[in-house]
Amino acid sequence: MCFILSVMEGGCFCGAIRFSVDEAPTWIGACHCVDCRKLSGAPYMVWVGCKKESYRLLKGTPREFSSSEKVTRSFCEKCNAPSTFLYTDSSVGKDYDSIYIPVGAFDDATHLKTQEHIWTSQKLPWIEILDDLPQRK
């Protein structure tokens, strides 16, 4: 787990969206699912999970869309950078209380270390996971 000494800030590529998080992340994971690949244009996406109440939108209004029955994602309308991932159905359990932010959206992500890989059953066959982190299919 990583610890934050102060408020973490970040935003989208063009600067239209800015946010802050004032508590340590609860989870950091590399998602290999098809949806994250399609939305990011990358072979997988690393998400930082934080308590919803620790997240503050400082500037802009991300555009939201439902990417599935239980998930709402947001992005910047100007540069199309992914902004957040939220579960919209409380049946998902403890994850319902979290907001997930792409690790690359933080101004300084050097201390944010991946804790596990998820949706590895959907990972691209040429991706080799070389660390010893837990993997969820």
Side-chain angles (χ1 to χ4, degrees):
M1 181 68 68
C2 65
F3 300 95
I4 63 172
L5 302 175
S6 62
V7 173
M8 296 185 301
E9 290 192 4
C12 66
F13 179 75
C14 74
I17 306 294
R18 295 290 301 162
F19 66 86
S20 68
V21 175
D22 64 9
E23 290 185 30
T26 56
W27 177 83
I28 303 171
C31 183
H32 297 266
C33 81
V34 173
D35 289 349
C36 284
R37 289 202 318 260
K38 294 277 188 185
L39 288 163
S40 69
Y44 59 91
M45 195 164 181
V46 178
W47 293 97
V48 178
C50 302
K51 293 179 185 173
K52 285 180 187 176
E53 58 269 11
S54 72
Y55 176 85
R56 302 282 178 271
L57 190 59
L58 304 174
K59 179 182 173 188
T61 305
R63 179 140 187 188
E64 294 183 345
F65 73 101
S66 296
S67 61
S68 69
E69 188 176 302
K70 296 181 180 184
V71 173
T72 295
R73 296 177 187 252
S74 69
F75 63 96
C76 173
E77 281 192 286
K78 291 183 181 178
C79 67
N80 292 314
S83 185
T84 61
F85 173 108
L86 286 166
Y87 287 103
T88 56
D89 186 326
S90 60
S91 70
V92 299
K94 66 179 177 65
D95 292 333
Y96 180 71
D97 296 326
S98 296
I99 185 167
Y100 298 89
I101 305 160
V103 72
F106 287 91
D107 294 340
D108 179 8
T110 55
H111 62 289
L112 299 172
K113 295 178 177 47
T114 303
Q115 299 166 333
E116 73 175 323
H117 296 268
I118 62 171
W119 288 103
T120 56
S121 61
Q122 295 182 19
K123 79 174 182 58
L124 293 169
W126 47 266
I127 293 292
E128 291 184 58
I129 298 174
L130 302 175
D131 57 44
D132 293 329
L133 297 174
Q135 296 182 28
R136 285 194 280 159
K137 295 193 182 271

